[in-house]
Amino acid sequence: MVDQRIPWNQYFMAQAVLLSLRSTCTRLEVGATLVKDRRIIAGGYNGAVSGDNHCIDHGCYVVDGHCIRTIHAEMNALLQCAKLGISTDDAEIYVTHFPCLHCTKAILQAGIKKIYYLYDLS
């Protein structure tokens, strides 16, 4: 019998797409899923810092082509792991959009070994 289930990479990317639907930034909806040993360890989407104004309510605050009102999806996922004490060493990240330079540096510094992305807007 042939396994007809969705492949792991597609499954994890689909989770990132689903997370992007929670984004509160109207300029760009981004989702990120952190995976270790084929298990989801965290997820994030881009939106305002907890307790701050959201783009959907107050508009985007764009500087040099980036909305600085939001914290990026990748950082939200990484910070969730940091907050909960979950190691990201040798993990993988699935992101709906190619990570910015700051997020890429944080991803690499966190020990994440692979970055998968769906869209490249650069």
Side-chain angles (χ1 to χ4, degrees), residues 32-34 42-45 72-82 93:
T33 304
L34 272 170
Y45 53 87
H72 291 184
E74 304 92 323
M75 292 302 294
N76 266 329
L78 287 171
L79 292 170
Q80 183 180 14
C81 285
I93 191 165

Side-chain angles (χ1 to χ4, degrees), residues 3-4 7 11 27-28 30 34 43 51-52 54 56 67 74 76 79 88 95 102 105 107 112-113 116 119 122:
D3 188 351
Q4 297 180 353
Y11 172 75
R27 191 184 74 79
L28 189 63
V30 180
L34 272 170
D52 204 357
H54 293 284
I56 56 175
C67 179
E74 304 92 323
N76 266 329
L79 292 170
T88 56
V95 190
H102 296 295
K105 290 189 289 185
I107 288 166
I112 294 170
K113 63 182 178 181
Y116 298 96
Y119 305 110
S122 57

Side-chain angles (χ1 to χ4, degrees), residues 12-23 30-36 39-47 71-84 86 88 91-96 112:
F12 295 132
M13 187 59 76
Q15 294 295 320
V17 171
L18 188 60
L19 281 161
S20 75
L21 299 176
R22 291 283 306 155
S23 172
V30 180
T33 304
L34 272 170
V35 176
K36 190 169 183 177
R39 300 283 182 252
I40 295 172
I41 58 172
Y45 53 87
N46 59 330
I71 184 165
H72 291 184
E74 304 92 323
M75 292 302 294
N76 266 329
L78 287 171
L79 292 170
Q80 183 180 14
C81 285
K83 195 174 188 178
L84 298 174
I86 300 169
T88 56
E92 300 175 338
I93 191 165
Y94 293 79
V95 190
T96 55
I112 294 170

